[in-house]
């Protein structure tokens, strides 16, 4: 089943020079393709829409601040079961709990600064692709 998903490389990934490493892991999965990619700085309005489900949680405000703290890389990946697959490459939210070999397990320590966002379902992917890449979604 070919799918499309939205990936964000968070400001920590860009600051630490991990863009190539993370993009490379996505590119090396057989048959997956990156069909859009852009370095950009997010504004609060976009983040409020993107993280609407987290409004009111204790981590929400620091998360929105952090996500504006520097440029991110937004990309669209396409391929066989790519939604589930990139979540697996990323590992769980808490980087200390994430297995070595996953992006968060290999490079992260702090839950907020967990390097990567990837859509968690087909519905989220559709909504997030429209928000970040309205021209192609
Ligand atoms: P992600 O799963 O991509 O989307 C929600 C983000 O909120 C998550 O990554 C983390 O960056 C952040 N987050 C989730 N839970 C916590 C938490 N308990 N403490 C700090 N940040 C969190």
């Amino acid at each position: 089943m070919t799918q499309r998903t939205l990936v964000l490389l968070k400001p920590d990934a860009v600051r630490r020079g991990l863009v190539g490493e993370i993009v490379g892991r996505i590119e090396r999965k057989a048959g997956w393709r990156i069909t859009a990619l852009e370095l950009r700085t997010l504004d609060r309005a976009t983040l409020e829409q993107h993280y609407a489900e987290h409004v009111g949680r204790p981590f929400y405000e620091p998360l929105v601040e952090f996500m504006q703290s520097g440029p991110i890389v937004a990309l669209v990946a396409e391929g066989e079961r790519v939604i589930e697959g990139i979540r697996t490459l990323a590992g769980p939210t808490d980087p200390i709990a994430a297995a070595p070999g996953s992006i968060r397990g290999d490079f992260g320590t702090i839950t907020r600064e967990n390097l990567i966002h990837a859509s968690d379902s087909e519905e989220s992917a559709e909504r997030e692709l429209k928000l970040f890449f309205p021209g192609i979604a």
Side-chain angles (χ1 to χ4, degrees):
M1 183 192 13
T2 296
Q3 299 176 322
R4 279 198 305 184
T5 194
L6 175 83
V7 175
L8 304 177
L9 308 186
K10 297 182 180 184
D12 55 329
V14 175
R15 265 196 290 273
R16 292 173 58 198
L18 292 170
V19 171
E21 171 70 40
I22 297 171
V23 170
R25 291 182 183 210
I26 296 170
E27 279 189 304
R28 292 199 295 269
K29 288 289 278 188
W32 287 4
R33 290 194 312 137
I34 290 163
T35 54
L37 185 149
E38 191 180 89
L39 186 78
R40 58 169 91 154
T41 304
L42 299 178
D43 58 26
R44 189 171 173 102
T46 302
L47 288 161
E48 283 177 354
Q49 286 187 68
H50 179 61
Y51 287 126
E53 67 181 293
H54 298 306
V55 172
R57 305 247 176 100
F59 61 81
Y60 176 79
E61 273 303 327
L63 172 65
V64 168
E65 286 293 311
F66 164 63
M67 289 296 289
Q68 293 178 90
S69 69
I72 60 102
V73 169
L75 67 89
V76 181
E78 206 171 294
E80 178 68 21
R81 294 174 64 201
V82 72
I83 296 173
E84 177 190 352
I86 294 191
R87 301 275 299 180
T88 302
L89 283 187
T93 306
D94 174 0
I96 296 293
S102 67
I103 293 162
R104 290 166 170 165
D106 283 350
F107 303 118
T109 45
I110 301 168
T111 301
R112 181 168 47 249
E113 300 182 18
N114 63 359
L115 301 139
I116 180 168
H117 165 86
S119 308
D120 64 5
S121 65
E122 290 194 39
E123 297 70 41
S124 305
E126 196 174 327
R127 182 175 65 82
E128 294 172 0
L129 287 165
K130 277 202 188 98
L131 179 60
F132 284 90
F133 289 97
I136 65 157

